[in-house]
Amino acid sequence: RYFHFCKLPGRVMGIRLLRFTSVVIIVLLLVAGALTALLPNIKDDKLPNLRREPKPQSQSALDSFTLIMQTYNRTDLLLKLLNHYQAIPNLHKVIVVWNNIGEKTPEEMWNSLGPHPVPVVFKVQSVNRMRNRLQNFPELETKAILMMDDDTLVSAHDLAFAFSVWQQFPEHIVGFVPRKHISTPSGVYSYGSFELQNPGFGNGDQYSMVLIGAAFFHTGYLEDFQRQPEAVYALIDETQNCDDIAMNFLVAKHTGKPSGVFVKPVDIRNLEKDTNSGYSGMWHRAEHLLQRSYCVNKLVNIYDGMPLKYSNIMISQFGFPNYANHKNKM
Amino acid sequence: RYFHFCKLPGRVMGIRLLRFTSVVIIVLLLVAGALTALLPNIKDDKLPNLRREPKPQSQSALDSFTLIMQTYNRTDLLLKLLNHYQAIPNLHKVIVVWNNIGEKTPEEMWNSLGPHPVPVVFKVQSVNRMRNRLQNFPELETKAILMMDDDTLVSAHDLAFAFSVWQQFPEHIVGFVPRKHISTPSGVYSYGSFELQNPGFGNGDQYSMVLIGAAFFHTGYLEDFQRQPEAVYALIDETQNCDDIAMNFLVAKHTGKPSGVFVKPVDIRNLEKDTNSGYSGMWHRAEHLLQRSYCVNKLVNIYDGMPLKYSNIMISQFGFPNYANHKNKM
């Protein structure tokens, strides 16, 4: 908001006019004051969609999600997974991020075997980058994204429930794979999973990240990702790793809360071994975990602080898979 | 918003004054507009405490809770439970609602066996009413209430975790005992537990109430309870039952969301059989469940609608009791 007054032929005008000018100025100051005082209420709204919806949306686009799956060197697995995921409830569209540079997509074959329940868009990439999947694709019409690694199968039940959970926590990453950072006396952070226990936690465990390789999150966060410091992109490209850690930093900074909500999966499988390419994922590299600790510390430097917060909440579906799963069998 | 005022064509002072007056008026209209537009953000705040805190609170009163336990004809059990609960973390004070009309409280004996970690207040009642425990006691200094039946033991671990969950969902009843209502083709509702499955629910189960006999909820709801229609009090007194159902109606109406958040307990026990009085709880009466269905339908008439909403979220503590409890053992 800004106000511009052109020069008034000052001398000619009388004191009354000056009085009115001061009235206007005082009122304007009051406006500024009032608006400033109220700003926090606006900021309180943490849902990117409310202000940043890029496109008009059909009703179905509001109660549904877009599956984004990045694939490299596992086309046979990709097709197997597409056949599974295309039938899950509330799916609006599938975006396949094609990182097989210079290779033809299976689009022709896919279409020849149609009809399919939802459209599948192949996004051919020019460089094989981990962060290709984090573009704000123009084909995105839903507020919700389901991002899946191309070797991971999650049951339709788990996905339907997790989506209903995301609808209640739309500012969080709602997913099936929790991870954590650990502080060490040296001030250096370490990255780990549930095996890495921190005695300081007291009873039980905690997590500070939910990986985006099997998670729902808000489309708005893909926009936010385009506005990160160059150093973040450089780190991800240098390591071909850690894009998911960066997203957790981004969400934690945005909300000031734990970035993720962990939904306990009933049936999640890694199908890696089923691929004929024999290609095994990046996370088998010896340096994988060390890289991720390295990334956590780098990101703390880049963002000048540690935004990740701990949560110990684990959400399951009441009465599923067994009708008395609320009873503890100890 | 952006304003551009230019070249007041000189000469007639009157016109200038008019112009300035209208500027002032326009600006004032804009202020009004801005303020109105921002109001909903303020209304979004559903937490009773923010507007209704009856008393100034010490910091400890903000991070702690008050245990309210109503007792009738089980003083031996009461003392056993007090010994357990007085040691749980974050406990600020205990209020014992003494429904043994005309009987002396064990206060003297209790004090003779001091010191005790937190103060215990005995509130002697003049009539034995189920809803005595729902008074807005002047001794309440915390925002959080833990209400427990006088025959129920919940582990300190479960209580500490559930309190941390309540701090994240302060407008809900956060507790360990979920229940539900079921619609029938006749339009009459039925009350039930997890055994009562509704095929319409599809996979898994749902709940629409969390009982207050083992739950955390906000002090503000005790204030709200004092402002209910007389018919609600009459129903509770007539049945000596259903005060917990009425509280779920109240919370659901207040939030427009499911009234409760169910936390899966690791260790909850009913100690009823340990009492020497041989007194067994109201819920053993043959008519108990029928009364509760009756209450649900009565409350729907009184409130002119069914405010209860279903949830299928079940929260457990990540990594507790076993460090890999996020893994599914099927």
Side-chain angles (χ1 to χ4, degrees):
Chain A
R1 303 169 193 75
Y2 101 86
F3 308 87
H4 175 75
F5 297 97
C6 290
K7 285 229 172 74
L8 299 165
R11 266 219 240 90
V12 191
M13 294 198 291
I15 289 153
R16 294 173 67 199
L17 184 42
L18 277 171
R19 286 232 185 83
F20 271 89
T21 319
S22 45
V23 167
V24 175
I25 288 160
I26 286 160
V27 172
L28 292 178
L29 288 174
L30 288 172
V31 188
L35 294 179
T36 321
L38 287 161
L39 275 180
N41 290 318
I42 303 170
K43 289 221 207 77
D44 281 349
D45 155 42
K46 289 292 185 188
L47 307 193
N49 58 315
L50 298 188
R51 283 187 309 287
R52 304 203 205 121
E53 218 39 72
K55 323 164 191 63
Q57 301 194 320
S58 67
Q59 185 48 38
S60 81
L62 294 175
D63 337 327
S64 62
F65 55 85
T66 306
L67 168 62
I68 299 181
M69 192 158 26
Q70 179 160 275
T71 185
Y72 173 72
N73 203 0
R74 287 170 175 159
T75 307
D76 53 349
L77 253 191
L78 169 74
L79 294 170
K80 185 182 284 187
L81 289 172
L82 280 181
N83 186 63
H84 165 66
Y85 287 122
Q86 70 174 350
I88 59 180
N90 304 109
L91 181 63
H92 182 257
K93 184 188 286 181
V94 178
I95 296 179
V96 176
V97 182
W98 186 253
N99 268 1
N100 300 299
I101 312 308
E103 258 180 57
K104 214 162 138 298
T105 73
E107 185 161 18
E108 216 170 84
M109 185 253 272
W110 178 260
N111 294 334
S112 72
L113 296 171
H116 301 290
V118 299
V120 175
V121 185
F122 289 85
K123 300 291 288 183
V124 177
Q125 304 299 302
S126 54
V127 191
N128 175 14
R129 278 200 186 122
M130 178 62 93
R131 65 179 164 107
N132 283 346
R133 62 180 177 176
L134 296 182
Q135 297 165 74
N136 185 17
F137 301 100
E139 293 83 359
L140 278 169
E141 293 175 88
T142 60
K143 288 180 178 176
I145 290 165
L146 168 62
M147 190 162 280
M148 294 294 307
D149 289 338
D150 64 341
D151 61 352
T152 306
L153 187 140
V154 174
S155 77
H157 285 323
D158 286 309
L159 292 174
F161 175 63
F163 181 57
S164 75
V165 172
W166 179 85
Q167 289 175 310
Q168 296 171 70
F169 303 96
E171 78 271 32
H172 292 280
I173 300 171
V174 175
F176 304 103
V177 186
R179 291 292 183 264
K180 69 159 88 68
H181 70 284
I182 297 279
S183 317
T184 66
S186 63
V188 176
Y189 293 103
S190 185
Y191 171 95
S193 180
F194 60 89
E195 297 87 357
L196 178 58
Q197 295 287 315
N198 186 337
F201 285 159
N203 300 304
D205 197 359
Q206 303 203 40
Y207 58 92
S208 59
M209 292 168 260
V210 167
L211 303 191
I212 59 175
F216 289 91
F217 59 89
H218 200 289
T219 317
Y221 289 130
L222 288 184
E223 292 182 51
D224 294 345
F225 184 75
Q226 313 315 314
R227 290 190 295 270
Q228 299 310 301
E230 266 308 321
V232 174
Y233 309 140
L235 177 65
I236 296 170
D237 295 344
E238 163 205 337
T239 56
Q240 281 286 61
N241 197 342
C242 310
D243 64 322
D244 48 4
I245 299 176
M247 284 301 281
N248 277 272
F249 269 69
L250 185 157
V251 173
K253 273 173 61 71
H254 181 79
T255 61
K257 303 176 191 168
S259 54
V261 172
F262 170 50
V263 174
K264 175 179 181 169
V266 172
D267 190 355
I268 182 170
R269 304 177 192 186
N270 185 285
L271 301 187
E272 200 176 56
K273 286 167 191 53
D274 304 8
T275 177
N276 300 326
S277 74
Y279 173 72
S280 65
M282 310 282 285
W283 59 277
H284 290 284
R285 291 173 301 166
E287 68 273 27
H288 176 73
L289 274 176
L290 286 173
Q291 269 185 336
R292 292 175 73 77
S293 292
Y294 168 81
C295 288
V296 168
N297 288 293
K298 278 282 189 192
L299 288 166
V300 166
N301 295 338
I302 295 169
Y303 288 115
D304 193 24
M306 166 51 82
L308 298 180
K309 291 192 163 57
Y310 291 108
S311 171
N312 62 357
I313 281 187
M314 177 170 74
I315 296 183
S316 318
Q317 184 177 348
F318 181 60
F320 186 83
N322 50 320
Y323 91 101
N325 71 338
H326 63 284
K327 287 195 170 174
N328 219 295
K329 310 159 206 67
M330 290 180 70
Chain B
R1 293 176 198 72
Y2 145 67
F3 308 90
H4 185 92
F5 307 115
C6 254
K7 286 237 175 0
L8 301 170
R11 306 234 272 294
V12 188
M13 193 57 169
I15 289 169
R16 286 197 183 142
L17 288 179
L18 270 174
R19 290 242 171 88
F20 272 89
T21 320
S22 47
V23 166
V24 176
I25 287 161
I26 287 162
V27 171
L28 289 175
L29 289 173
L30 286 167
V31 187
L35 294 179
T36 323
L38 287 161
L39 277 179
N41 289 319
I42 303 167
K43 285 218 213 78
D44 282 348
D45 156 42
K46 288 286 189 192
L47 308 191
N49 58 317
L50 299 189
R51 284 187 308 287
R52 304 203 204 121
E53 219 38 71
K55 320 159 192 71
Q57 300 195 319
S58 68
Q59 184 50 37
S60 80
L62 293 175
D63 325 333
S64 60
F65 56 84
T66 306
L67 168 62
I68 298 182
M69 192 158 26
Q70 179 160 277
T71 184
Y72 174 71
N73 203 0
R74 288 170 175 161
T75 306
D76 53 348
L77 252 192
L78 170 74
L79 293 170
K80 184 181 285 186
L81 290 172
L82 281 181
N83 186 64
H84 165 65
Y85 287 122
Q86 71 175 349
I88 59 180
N90 305 109
L91 181 63
H92 182 258
K93 183 187 289 181
V94 178
I95 296 179
V96 175
V97 182
W98 186 255
N99 268 0
N100 300 300
I101 310 307
E103 256 179 60
K104 214 160 138 298
T105 72
E107 186 160 20
E108 217 168 84
M109 186 253 272
W110 178 260
N111 294 333
S112 72
L113 296 172
H116 301 290
V118 299
V120 175
V121 185
F122 289 84
K123 301 291 288 183
V124 176
Q125 304 299 305
S126 54
V127 192
N128 175 14
R129 277 198 186 125
M130 177 64 93
R131 64 181 166 106
N132 283 346
R133 63 180 177 177
L134 296 182
Q135 298 165 73
N136 185 19
F137 301 100
E139 293 83 359
L140 278 169
E141 293 176 87
T142 60
K143 288 180 178 176
I145 291 165
L146 167 62
M147 191 162 279
M148 294 294 307
D149 288 340
D150 63 342
D151 61 352
T152 306
L153 187 141
V154 175
S155 78
H157 285 322
D158 285 310
L159 292 174
F161 175 63
F163 181 56
S164 74
V165 172
W166 178 85
Q167 288 175 310
Q168 295 171 69
F169 303 95
E171 77 272 32
H172 293 279
I173 300 171
V174 175
F176 304 102
V177 186
R179 291 292 182 263
K180 69 159 91 65
H181 70 285
I182 296 280
S183 317
T184 65
S186 63
V188 176
Y189 293 102
S190 185
Y191 171 95
S193 179
F194 59 90
E195 297 86 354
L196 179 58
Q197 295 289 314
N198 185 337
F201 284 159
N203 301 303
D205 198 359
Q206 303 202 44
Y207 58 91
S208 58
M209 292 168 261
V210 168
L211 302 192
I212 60 174
F216 290 91
F217 59 90
H218 199 290
T219 317
Y221 289 129
L222 289 185
E223 292 183 53
D224 293 347
F225 185 75
Q226 313 315 315
R227 291 191 294 272
Q228 299 309 302
E230 266 308 320
V232 173
Y233 309 140
L235 177 66
I236 296 171
D237 296 343
E238 161 206 340
T239 56
Q240 281 287 59
N241 196 342
C242 308
D243 65 323
D244 48 3
I245 298 176
M247 284 300 282
N248 277 272
F249 269 69
L250 184 159
V251 173
K253 272 173 63 71
H254 181 81
T255 62
K257 302 176 189 168
S259 54
V261 172
F262 170 49
V263 173
K264 175 179 179 167
V266 172
D267 190 355
I268 182 170
R269 305 178 191 185
N270 185 284
L271 300 188
E272 198 175 58
K273 287 167 192 52
D274 304 6
T275 178
N276 300 327
S277 74
Y279 173 72
S280 64
M282 309 283 283
W283 58 278
H284 290 283
R285 292 172 301 165
E287 67 275 26
H288 176 73
L289 275 176
L290 286 173
Q291 269 185 336
R292 293 175 73 78
S293 292
Y294 168 80
C295 288
V296 168
N297 289 292
K298 278 281 189 191
L299 288 166
V300 166
N301 295 338
I302 293 169
Y303 288 116
D304 193 25
M306 166 51 83
L308 298 179
K309 290 190 165 56
Y310 290 108
S311 170
N312 62 356
I313 281 186
M314 176 170 74
I315 295 184
S316 318
Q317 185 177 348
F318 182 60
F320 186 84
N322 51 320
Y323 90 104
N325 72 338
H326 63 285
K327 287 194 169 173
N328 219 295
K329 312 158 206 66
M330 290 180 69

